[in-house]
Amino acid sequence: MAIPSFVDRVTVHVAAGRGGNGCASVHREKFKPLGGPDGGNGGDGGSVILRVDPDTTTLVDYHRSSHRTATNGAQGKGDHQAGSNGADVVLPVPDGTVVSTTDGVVLADLVGTGAEFVAAQGGKGGLGNAALASNSRKAPGFALLGEDGDERTLVLELKVVADIGLVGFPSAGKSSLVASISRARPKIADYPFTTLIPNLGVVVAGDTTFTVADVPGLIEGASEGRGLGHDFLRHVERCAALVHVIDCATYEPGRDPLSDLDTIEAELQAHGGLEDRPRLVALNKIDVPDAREIAQMVQAELEQRGLRVFPISTASHEGLEALKFAMAEIVVRRRAEAEKPDTTRIVIRPQVQGGPEFKVKKLPDDGGWLVQGEKPERWVKQTDFANAEATGYLADRLNRLGVEKELLELGAMEGDAVVIGDGPNAIVFDFAPEVQAGAEILARRGEDHRLEEARPAAQRRKLKDTEYHAHKTDRSEYKQGWIEDEVDLSPAEARRAAEKAEKLARKDARELEASELEATDQDV
């Protein structure tokens, strides 16, 4: 099957890159085996971006290759080395491309050179354990996983950006008119449906420059799919004005300028959205004697309808100058009526987003509880469930967000199934809330407050040390008051205390003996 050279509607599947995983690493060097966490963050995945390129006039490249994928971000490394970001994929599209979903929801209308639309956003890289360190978690033994990039199917539809659109029956002379008033050279032949693609021409009338689009011929029933023109009616939606090119020299039975005009207007009305466009009528081929007479006969009636009529001949160029300046007049007026862009400085302020960050609902048939929300679902995707500490970190985040409190208020019981997320990536947990029993409060998962509290034995030892420093001048009193059982010493501590007491006793004995000898010498 031959691939057409002009394609104005395609379906494209785009997939952004996945973010790289964070790294869990501990700095190590000589004489410093535990130097703290130094795992780097993962790189962001590449995005798929649509950008208007003036050198691109068709969507045929995406007709040939409809799947486009960006690269993934690299994983983080030790020594605080972040992973590299994935490369973005920029897809050039023609000016006037409309981006929509397969359901018909318009996402972007790309008009103007350089206009961009992020079709698929790359996934964020996961944080390394260096970024997760805090005062209460000085050396995390885990890192976050990278997020998946967006993946979706889009419909690209080209609507030619032109100031004037030429409409009419096949072989009415639209392509010849474009060739006569511009430098465009479309294919011209004496058979119907010669024009298979819209042709654009740049026209200069005085100080005004504008573009003219030649839309392939319309026939009765075009809006319902007959002929070729129904595929190109969208290309006249952006035009500032429409010019009816009417063949006054046709030999087909049952056709005349008035009926041709009524037929094309009926098709434009059926297509919709063109009621406010100014109309001009070009009665073509008046170089033929009979055609000139027909044009003179219908001109007065067309003018009574409020239409501006121009008898022209693309062969002899008769009447083309008047038609060109009439087109330019409409273009200048429509450009003046267009809203001027605001050149004042734009101040962007963050908007306060109301509403809860998640919602919880009961699943039918005792299926548990469903938690939905951007944050909980994203956190689940970032968690490595093979790491118990990472799972505890997720539980702490959900608890701080208020998920556990909301479940308890709705009547969730310990052991109930809790589903976070929707679809194939959903995660199911057994509900295990924090428990308060008597004076003991269990800490957050992965922590124990009892490790931070002073033990009674340590408090008694501290009190005994204070008493010792207060009475250290009187060692005898200190020795008499030292009761090993009261301070709850370990065997090693008791042994060291006994050795210290023996040294003090020997020192006291030597001092006593020296004082007695000195007293004896004085007596002698």
Side-chain angles (χ1 to χ4, degrees):
M1 179 179 177
I3 297 177
S5 60
F6 180 83
V7 176
D8 62 351
R9 182 183 175 90
V10 294
T11 300
V12 182
H13 184 80
V14 293
R18 175 186 174 85
N21 298 336
C23 176
S25 172
V26 177
H27 181 71
R28 300 176 186 273
E29 59 183 74
K30 190 176 182 180
F31 305 118
K32 196 175 182 181
L34 298 177
D38 66 350
N41 301 335
D44 296 338
S47 301
V48 180
I49 302 173
L50 302 177
R51 180 181 299 165
V52 174
D53 184 0
D55 296 330
T56 303
T57 58
T58 177
L59 299 172
V60 66
D61 290 342
Y62 309 112
H63 181 77
R64 297 187 176 100
S65 178
S66 60
H67 286 72
R68 303 300 174 98
T69 305
T71 56
N72 299 330
Q75 183 173 344
K77 300 179 182 179
D79 198 17
H80 300 283
Q81 298 183 60
S84 59
N85 296 332
D88 294 335
V89 174
V90 179
L91 305 180
V93 295
D95 190 5
T97 300
V98 177
V99 185
S100 59
T101 63
T102 54
D103 298 331
V105 179
V106 177
L107 302 177
D109 191 353
L110 303 178
V111 178
T113 302
E116 289 186 353
F117 171 69
V118 180
Q121 181 68 49
K124 298 293 293 183
L127 297 179
N129 65 339
L132 296 172
S134 62
N135 292 333
S136 59
R137 185 181 289 103
K138 298 185 181 299
F142 66 97
L144 299 184
L145 304 179
E147 300 179 27
D148 294 330
D150 294 337
E151 184 174 357
R152 55 183 175 178
T153 301
L154 301 175
V155 177
L156 307 184
E157 186 177 14
L158 174 60
K159 295 183 179 180
V160 172
V161 179
D163 296 307
I164 303 294
L166 306 181
V167 295
F169 272 78
S171 298
K174 299 184 297 297
S175 298
S176 300
L177 179 57
V178 172
S180 300
I181 62 178
S182 71
R183 293 183 178 271
R185 294 296 177 261
K187 182 180 179 181
I188 299 173
D190 58 353
Y191 56 87
F193 300 113
T194 306
T195 303
L196 299 178
I197 64 175
N199 297 307
L200 286 177
V202 179
V203 182
V204 179
D207 296 332
T208 306
T209 302
F210 57 93
T211 55
V212 176
D214 164 24
V215 180
L218 302 178
I219 62 174
E220 185 177 1
S223 60
E224 300 174 356
R226 294 187 60 192
L228 296 178
H230 73 283
D231 290 328
F232 301 101
L233 277 171
R234 70 176 72 94
H235 295 299
V236 299
E237 293 180 0
R238 301 184 188 275
C239 297
L242 301 179
V243 176
H244 285 278
V245 181
I246 298 178
D247 184 2
C248 293
T250 180
Y251 294 102
E252 295 184 20
R255 283 185 54 187
D256 61 80
L258 296 179
S259 63
D260 286 357
L261 177 64
D262 293 338
T263 300
I264 299 302
E265 278 294 339
E267 297 305 321
L268 295 177
Q269 185 176 2
H271 180 72
L274 302 171
E275 293 78 8
D276 60 335
R277 304 299 194 277
R279 262 72 162 173
L280 299 177
V281 177
L283 300 176
N284 194 19
K285 302 182 182 180
I286 61 172
D287 55 292
V288 180
D290 293 342
R292 184 181 295 273
E293 294 179 3
I294 294 176
Q296 293 174 353
M297 292 171 55
V298 300
Q299 181 173 357
E301 184 173 348
L302 293 174
E303 289 176 348
Q304 290 178 359
R305 297 185 182 184
L307 300 172
R308 297 179 64 182
V309 183
F310 298 87
I312 65 169
S313 172
T314 57
S316 63
H317 290 196
E318 182 180 350
L320 294 185
E321 286 298 316
L323 178 60
K324 286 169 52 177
F325 279 92
M327 294 178 184
E329 180 183 347
I330 295 177
V331 171
V332 171
R333 184 169 64 249
R334 289 298 294 263
R335 290 176 180 174
E337 294 174 355
E339 295 183 1
K340 296 182 179 180
D342 187 6
T343 57
T344 59
R345 178 177 296 179
I346 300 176
V347 179
I348 300 177
R349 296 182 176 88
Q351 296 182 356
V352 178
Q353 297 183 357
E357 294 180 305
F358 66 94
K359 59 181 180 179
V360 180
K361 64 179 181 180
K362 178 71 174 177
L363 294 176
D365 301 331
D366 197 21
W369 304 85
L370 176 62
V371 179
Q372 292 177 313
E374 180 183 356
K375 282 188 176 181
E377 294 179 18
R378 188 177 75 250
W379 292 346
V380 165
K381 295 177 182 178
Q382 293 175 337
T383 302
D384 179 11
F385 290 99
N387 187 308
E389 189 176 353
T391 306
Y393 179 69
L394 170 64
D396 292 343
R397 298 175 84 179
L398 295 174
N399 187 32
R400 287 194 297 269
L401 188 63
V403 174
E404 185 173 296
K405 180 181 178 181
E406 183 71 15
L407 286 169
L408 290 173
E409 291 179 353
L410 294 177
M413 303 295 292
E414 184 175 0
D416 288 354
V418 178
V419 182
I420 299 181
D422 195 5
N425 296 325
I427 301 297
V428 182
F429 296 93
D430 289 334
F431 185 46
E434 293 182 353
V435 180
Q436 180 173 351
E440 181 183 8
I441 302 178
L442 298 185
R444 295 185 299 174
R445 298 150 186 84
E447 298 181 6
D448 192 341
H449 292 320
R450 291 173 296 180
L451 300 178
E452 302 177 2
E453 298 176 355
R455 292 168 22 221
Q459 294 177 355
R460 292 196 301 270
R461 185 182 301 113
K462 184 176 181 180
L463 178 62
K464 198 65 179 178
D465 289 343
T466 302
E467 294 177 355
Y468 162 71
H469 288 294
H471 302 85
K472 64 180 179 179
T473 55
D474 188 351
R475 294 190 179 91
S476 61
E477 183 180 351
Y478 163 74
K479 288 185 293 183
Q480 293 175 1
W482 183 276
I483 301 176
E484 181 176 321
D485 293 338
E486 290 184 1
V487 297
D488 192 16
L489 296 177
S490 64
E493 292 174 335
R495 185 171 59 256
R496 287 193 296 268
E499 293 175 354
K500 188 173 182 180
E502 291 178 2
K503 289 181 181 180
L504 292 174
R506 288 195 297 268
K507 183 177 179 181
D508 291 343
R510 289 195 299 269
E511 292 178 353
L512 179 61
E513 183 179 356
S515 62
E516 291 177 352
L517 291 175
E518 183 179 358
T520 303
D521 292 341
Q522 291 178 356
D523 293 340
V524 175

